[in-house]
Amino acid sequence: MAETMIPLFPCHELDETLDFYQAIGFEVTFHQKSPYQYGVVERGDMQFQFFRMKGYDPKASISACYVLTDDVDALHASFRAGLKQTLGRIPTRGLPRIGALKDMSYGVRQFLMTDPAGNNIRVGQPIADSFAHSAVPKERYARALHQAVLLGESKEDPSAAARIIDHALAADGTPTPVQLVKLYVVRAEMAEQLGEPERPAEWLDRAAAVRLTEEERQAAADELLRAEDLHASL
């Protein structure tokens, strides 16, 4: 027996939604305009279907699905490239938007993407043998990063994530250069989500001022890429 599960998403403007997915490398394989608007996009083994809903509010959407892949870095790079070519930038806020690559505490490396209709697509690759949350690190700054990413990404609570980082940075102690860059960039993300107009640039400037060796730059590669996207969106 073989089964396939296909997400079926609402949208407010079908053409806009299909155009978005074409921009990131999907093919429109079905586009119906009457008796009601309906569309299908495909890329490899991924398929999403959409129907136009009258009065639908993308900002109020709770529609979501999870895509598992064996090369999340390649998909992230491809989606970013398509969006940059089409929009001239990498959208990090509003609709549509694409998030950063992050190694999550529950054993996946993932990013989040939200389309113009507010549908949230989580794309991840397993990096551990279990999806159970890993133990909270004991070291202060590793613990702060662990908790801030969990709250900001999984629980969508940027206020709590920002408080954790602010508390860690105000405490006595010295984070490593890599930890410092990660703390600053995550804090910039939270500031952007909280609508703090001047703060994202301030945190990104702090991150850029941290001196890193080439090895340290590799260790902070995800955050440095995110910093570039955030800078471009300000």
Side-chain angles (χ1 to χ4, degrees), residues 152-203:
E153 189 94 354
S154 299
K155 295 191 175 181
E156 298 182 351
D157 190 347
S159 294
R163 287 195 299 271
I164 287 172
I165 294 175
D166 291 346
H167 179 75
L169 291 172
D172 292 334
T174 304
T176 68
V178 171
Q179 288 175 328
L180 197 54
V181 167
K182 291 183 176 184
L183 287 164
Y184 286 156
V185 174
V186 174
R187 185 61 179 84
E189 283 190 276
M190 298 305 106
E192 183 187 48
Q193 291 182 34
L194 291 168
E196 301 172 354
E198 305 298 329
R199 299 287 279 167
E202 176 186 330
W203 291 110

Side-chain angles (χ1 to χ4, degrees), residues 3-163:
E3 292 81 25
T4 300
M5 184 173 69
I6 301 171
L8 177 56
F9 291 131
C11 64
H12 63 311
E13 294 292 345
L14 180 61
D15 287 347
E16 179 186 24
T17 302
L18 298 182
D19 287 346
F20 169 81
Y21 282 93
Q22 281 187 300
I24 60 172
F26 283 76
E27 178 186 359
V28 176
T29 58
F30 184 75
H31 188 177
Q32 173 180 284
K33 296 187 177 182
S34 64
Y36 54 88
Q37 294 187 25
Y38 197 96
V40 179
V41 299
E42 298 184 46
R43 174 175 171 146
D45 291 331
M46 289 184 286
Q47 181 184 128
F48 302 135
Q49 300 189 8
F50 303 93
F51 63 96
R52 185 179 183 276
M53 178 184 290
K54 186 176 181 180
Y56 177 74
D57 181 5
K59 294 181 180 178
S61 173
I62 58 171
S63 301
C65 77
Y66 203 104
V67 175
L68 284 176
T69 176
D70 60 2
D71 196 344
V72 70
D73 288 75
L75 269 184
H76 186 252
S78 178
F79 288 177
R80 287 178 77 258
L83 290 172
K84 189 169 185 178
Q85 181 177 0
T86 303
L87 304 176
R89 62 186 177 86
I90 308 297
T92 62
R93 55 184 168 181
L95 296 174
R97 63 181 180 270
I98 187 168
L101 271 170
K102 293 179 181 176
D103 293 339
M104 305 303 294
S105 63
Y106 42 85
V108 295
R109 179 168 171 77
Q110 71 173 25
F111 67 93
L112 277 59
M113 181 180 69
T114 306
D115 69 18
N119 302 303
N120 185 271
I121 314 298
R122 292 177 180 248
V123 183
Q125 177 177 354
I127 55 174
D129 294 331
S130 170
F131 292 138
H133 282 280
S134 59
V136 177
K138 294 183 179 180
E139 194 274 328
R140 174 188 293 163
Y141 301 106
R143 182 173 68 249
L145 284 165
H146 173 100
Q147 294 175 327
V149 170
L150 181 62
L151 287 168
E153 189 94 354
S154 299
K155 295 191 175 181
E156 298 182 351
D157 190 347
S159 294
R163 287 195 299 271

